[in-house]
Amino acid sequence: MTFEDGQNDQAIAQLGTILETAAPSDQTRKLMTMQAQMLDRTGARDKAEVLVEKILTEDASNVDALKLRAAWHIAADRAGLAIQDLRTAQGQAPRDPQIMTLMAAAYERDGNRDLAAEQLAKAFEVSRAAPDESLRYASFLLQQGRPQVAETVLTDARRASPAHVGVLQALAEVLLENAKWPQAREVADTLRQLGTPETLAAAERIQAATLFGQDRMDEGLALLEAQAAASSDDVRPSVTVVMIQIRAGRTNEARSFLDEALKKAPNDPTLRVLSANVDALLGKTAEAEAAYRALISDDPTADLPVRMLYGLLVSESRDADARAVLDAGLEAQPDNESLLWTRAGLLERDGRFDETIAIYEKLYERNSSNIVAANNLASMITSYRDDPESLERAYAIARRLRDSPVPAFQDTYGWIEYRRGNPDVALKYLEPAAKGLPDDPLAQFHLGMAYADLGRKDEAIAQLRRALELGAGRDLPQLRQAEEKLGALTAAP
């Protein structure tokens, strides 16, 4: 309780005092695990790892310690070691849904999405459709393009937890996606009956979405406008109205509605950013720039105005001004992930690859579950590092991409297999990647190099020529390599 109240050091010290004189026992090991979890959450993983190793020295099958160590293995791309620990833990607790959830994460990290799905399904089953396990499994199913099964999972979860707001909202989203308007309205009615400000607002949004889905634009907007008028502190309904009007091409109506909303809340930063966005859409770029700069001046730690202003300046080919805005933003908030992503893309375009890799390493260290960070880091390492250790690290990071249908991920994994000396394996990924990225010179280059290594000379020449054509004017080391390979192929008898 002390820890959850924010007094972290005090809580950790209290447990330490208890453990100093406690004899080894199951209860003592529970307390040690609790302290390890606290240390890990406060960034002291090294100390947490020492505690967990001590627990497992005393009791090699301690379930809680094994789960904690497995989670660390997963985060460090040691999926095989995680699976070993989890199998040991499962021997002691065969119906623990948390073990199954961790096992799914380990399989996914290892690139085996079928086994991951199987474990998530088991966790859903043994938990009896508990909310967390249901939402996690449904999300995975949606990523796999199986919305009907996700709907069934969430429907079962609703029966088990009929008043769980997260389950109801997730079910409504799936129903809306599947154009099941009556069922979505029924879920909205349930949310409305719960009677909290959050559920009332969600119910109105769902009901409006059913109207929009049936091309009843004016009715849906009227519903949201009424909600916005009734909301004194919550600007979300107003934001939703403006965004829908913009998507419908009603920019002048969006501007008028937003002006009225700003009269009620002139200093609200969300409405001010949105107002600047609308100005930019209407071609009033000077007004938009002034608004973004005012927002940054008011709160230098807000990243959205920085990103919006950066994008506006880039669109006007004011690259130097855009870089200055980004530099100032990162000076004010050096650890802001959104701005770091932008900086990484800029550095890569500048050919500063080591600095780009350093940023992706930082982002990946913070959240190794982020598949885009994993892809970008593995891709950069494989493209611009040659030592065996780097290539093996890229392979460990990218294994989760093996079953992905996303062309960019296929390209990354295929090129890693090529660099590891497996052009035949690489081809299974590089061919669909090049087809899915027809205008990407590097995807065409990767496929051309694989064809060349496999002795498919004519196809290699065609692909490399295509890569050079697409990359004309760009100074990339891969394109210079393509020229050299193409020259060798065309010169050969």
Side-chain angles (χ1 to χ4, degrees), residues 5 8-9 39 57 71 73 75 133 153 167-168 175 208 235 244 290-291 316 318 322 327 334 337 385 412 416 420 426:
D5 197 38
N8 299 344
D9 293 341
L39 288 165
T57 299
H73 283 322
E133 285 73 16
V153 167
V167 169
L168 290 168
L175 292 169
V235 301
I244 290 170
E316 294 189 320
R318 296 166 57 188
D327 289 343
E337 291 192 10
R385 298 275 169 85
T412 295
I416 287 172
R420 296 178 76 238

Side-chain angles (χ1 to χ4, degrees), residues 2-74:
T2 300
F3 186 86
E4 294 300 335
D5 197 38
Q7 302 177 59
N8 299 344
D9 293 341
Q10 182 180 342
I12 292 169
Q14 287 173 342
L15 276 176
T17 300
I18 296 169
L19 290 169
E20 279 178 4
T21 57
S25 67
D26 287 344
Q27 179 63 18
T28 303
R29 286 186 282 274
K30 283 183 182 292
L31 297 179
M32 290 171 68
T33 302
M34 187 186 302
Q35 189 180 41
Q37 291 169 334
M38 290 179 177
L39 288 165
D40 190 39
R41 286 172 59 183
T42 57
R45 178 165 294 182
D46 53 343
K47 295 179 181 178
E49 288 174 343
V50 170
L51 278 176
V52 166
E53 291 306 318
K54 183 177 180 181
I55 295 167
L56 292 171
T57 299
E58 295 178 6
D59 175 11
S61 60
N62 186 282
V63 172
D64 289 334
L66 286 167
K67 288 194 289 189
L68 192 53
R69 188 168 71 176
W72 294 336
H73 283 322
I74 293 167

